[in-house]
Amino acid sequence: MQKITYLENPVYIESFAAVGGLEESRGPLGGSFDLIDKKDLFGMKTWERAEGEMGRLALNIALKKLSVSPDELNVLVAGDLQNQCVASSGGLFSFGIPFLGLYGACSTCTEGLLILASMLTSSKTYTRGACVTSSHNCAAERQFRTPIEYGGQRTPTAQWTATAAGAFVLSKSPSDIAISAFMPGKIIDGYTKDQSNMGAAMALSAFDTVSSFFSENDPEDYDLILTGDLGEVGSRILRDMLCEKGGAPGKKLASIHNDCGLMLYDRSFQDAHSGASGCGCSASVMASHILPLVRRGEIRRMLLLSTGALMSTSSVCQGENILGVAPLIRIEHMPRG
């Protein structure tokens, strides 16, 4: 059975920053990003190095907003979509912060914040830490499918991997944004082998996590249930399941649900098909758009479930089902004074 951990002493999000590329700048949230490079290279020679640089830039900006040096961070948790998370390690090594590399596919943002929250709360050793997650469209396509130069046609259910990164600085010092609870998600069989339909594969894990959480919470207490990157297909499946299986509470949850994969791009003119995906999707949407709303009190209490499709190039080629996972954190507005 899944266990919800309610933090007696919340962990606070002190600072955050979002970095993106060309398509992100053209989307509805483009004006809210801290830094944009319309060439998608961020001064690097390869897409893979560019992804690492995005993470470095995002963390540097978040630290500068606080006037905090890297030496004041006790731990850095980071992850990405590249093999062995080399974008995170390669981009962030220069900070010299004790490092934990993390892989949860596109759920890495929530998983990183969740792990940091538990560390900072349960251990007297840690007082301040950071989480960084990133993805790059061209690096992900080259690794998981075919290079974009190949020109392969994408199906309508396919999603566009975000070229984006988000960084978050957390501490025990009170601020307007608090992580007050978390719950790891279970690994759920998505019952699909189609790597071009990850939203459907992840929807079942999102439903499982949401259902478990609200077995002991009231939907009326929440303003927003935000999933990571289910896209149009996965979001529709999740909402249908909530309405069909959850009764009146399920319908309430469906009515306050939104998805980062549907928020990052304008699908009326951007070629995102079912929406955005990637580790940088939920991280950049949170850092550019959602957390400012929480800081201003426009969102009082919300859940974030960055959803992950757990697969590899080998597992797909071998015909394995795509598994999903959806860890959860509760974020609240905590006015000071």
Side-chain angles (χ1 to χ4, degrees), residues 28 84 138 152:
Q84 286 76 52
C138 296

Side-chain angles (χ1 to χ4, degrees), residues 35-88:
L35 187 149
I36 289 287
D37 181 355
K38 294 186 177 181
K39 294 182 179 180
D40 289 353
L41 277 169
F42 301 89
M44 301 291 108
K45 293 183 178 180
T46 67
W47 305 125
E48 288 76 13
R49 291 285 298 275
E51 183 176 346
E53 180 67 1
M54 281 194 297
R56 188 192 71 81
L57 290 168
L59 180 56
N60 200 41
I61 293 169
L63 291 173
K64 284 188 175 181
K65 288 181 180 181
L66 274 180
S67 298
V68 166
S69 73
D71 293 339
E72 296 177 65
L73 296 182
N74 303 123
V75 64
L76 171 60
V77 177
D80 56 85
L81 290 178
Q82 292 186 38
N83 289 334
Q84 286 76 52
C85 296
V86 293
S88 298

Side-chain angles (χ1 to χ4, degrees), residues 14 22 30 46 53 82 96 117 163 188 208 228 307:
E14 290 187 296
L22 173 62
T46 67
E53 180 67 1
Q82 292 186 38
T163 298
I188 302 293
D208 181 82
T307 44

Side-chain angles (χ1 to χ4, degrees), residues 57-253:
L57 290 168
L59 180 56
N60 200 41
I61 293 169
L63 291 173
K64 284 188 175 181
K65 288 181 180 181
L66 274 180
S67 298
V68 166
S69 73
D71 293 339
E72 296 177 65
L73 296 182
N74 303 123
V75 64
L76 171 60
V77 177
D80 56 85
L81 290 178
Q82 292 186 38
N83 289 334
Q84 286 76 52
C85 296
V86 293
S88 298
S89 57
L92 300 170
F93 79 94
S94 62
F95 287 98
I97 306 167
F99 175 76
L100 293 172
L102 188 69
Y103 180 79
C106 302
S107 71
T108 302
C109 176
T110 302
E111 198 172 348
L113 289 170
L114 182 157
I115 286 178
L116 273 173
S118 63
M119 288 174 116
L120 292 166
T121 303
S122 62
S123 174
K124 295 181 180 180
T125 304
Y126 298 102
T127 57
R128 178 179 276 142
C131 171
V132 180
T133 60
S134 64
S135 55
H136 196 294
N137 180 269
C138 296
E141 290 301 310
R142 177 150 56 194
Q143 176 171 299
F144 286 102
R145 286 167 286 271
T146 55
I148 57 171
E149 294 87 352
Y150 178 76
Q153 188 167 354
R154 296 157 55 235
T155 65
T157 60
Q159 294 170 246
W160 185 272
T161 304
T163 298
F168 311 86
V169 179
L170 290 81
S171 82
K172 294 177 181 176
S173 300
S175 73
D176 295 325
I177 307 169
I179 297 174
S180 59
F182 65 82
M183 186 176 75
K186 292 187 293 188
I187 299 172
I188 302 293
D189 193 334
Y191 295 106
T192 178
K193 305 177 190 298
D194 185 1
Q195 64 176 328
S196 294
N197 193 5
M198 293 185 296
M202 297 184 289
L204 300 183
S205 61
F207 174 76
D208 181 82
T209 300
V210 171
S211 299
S212 296
F213 186 85
F214 284 101
S215 66
E216 57 181 79
N217 281 270
D218 186 350
E220 296 295 334
D221 294 335
Y222 292 81
D223 297 324
L224 175 66
I225 309 299
L226 187 66
T227 48
D229 47 2
L230 296 179
E232 175 61 31
V233 175
S235 294
R236 187 170 63 246
I237 293 172
L238 174 60
R239 288 193 292 265
D240 287 348
M241 293 180 72
L242 289 171
C243 291
E244 292 172 7
K245 300 177 182 294
K251 291 179 181 178
K252 167 62 177 178
L253 293 173

